[in-house]
Amino acid sequence: MKILVTATTTTNVVPSPEKFFYVTTAEIAAGSTLTIDAADFFLDDGSAATTLPALATDNSYFNVYINGVLQMEGNSTYTPGVTGVGSLAFDVPAGGDPILQNSPVVLEVINYAPTSNTTVAS
């Protein structure tokens, strides 16, 4: 006896992007670290940020842009949380150029909340 079952699965990938902005207040020398607390970021509407979102396990990532240029992943350390806990630390490569005063820094956090629905027809 052979059983024949037909199943169709529909998966919806639902991204939840959030952007955080910061402008450097001083030059950051090569070989040093720029650390930005959650409260030092501001949101799209110009209001102050108070919390950096948690990263969903295996369904998230973050990007850092400085002066509009995407930075290498290994130079950034992201810590989610509220003011005093949540932060972004960016290691400025030694031997490179400094980050100049008034440079824009954009932190982009993307979490995904995928859903799937399977319909079985026999």
Side-chain angles (χ1 to χ4, degrees):
M1 176 157 67
K2 189 175 186 181
I3 298 174
L4 176 64
V5 176
T6 303
T8 304
T9 300
T10 303
T11 301
N12 294 312
V13 180
V14 182
S16 177
E18 296 180 66
K19 292 179 287 201
F20 301 88
F21 303 90
Y22 175 78
V23 177
T24 59
T25 57
E27 182 175 292
I28 312 302
S32 63
T33 301
L34 167 63
T35 302
I36 308 168
D37 184 76
D40 293 331
F41 283 103
F42 55 95
L43 305 173
D44 276 331
D45 64 3
S47 65
T50 57
T51 302
L52 295 177
L55 297 173
T57 304
D58 298 327
N59 272 328
S60 63
Y61 66 93
F62 70 95
N63 288 320
V64 176
Y65 298 85
I66 299 176
N67 282 327
V69 178
L70 180 61
Q71 301 300 303
M72 296 186 319
E73 179 181 357
N75 292 341
S76 302
T77 302
Y78 177 78
T79 305
V82 297
T83 300
V85 175
S87 66
L88 173 70
F90 182 80
D91 297 325
V92 182
D97 292 329
I99 299 174
L100 300 178
Q101 182 178 358
N102 296 320
S103 294
V105 177
V106 179
L107 168 63
E108 179 181 48
V109 178
I110 295 92
N111 280 299
Y112 290 91
T115 58
S116 293
N117 183 28
T118 301
T119 304
V120 178
S122 54

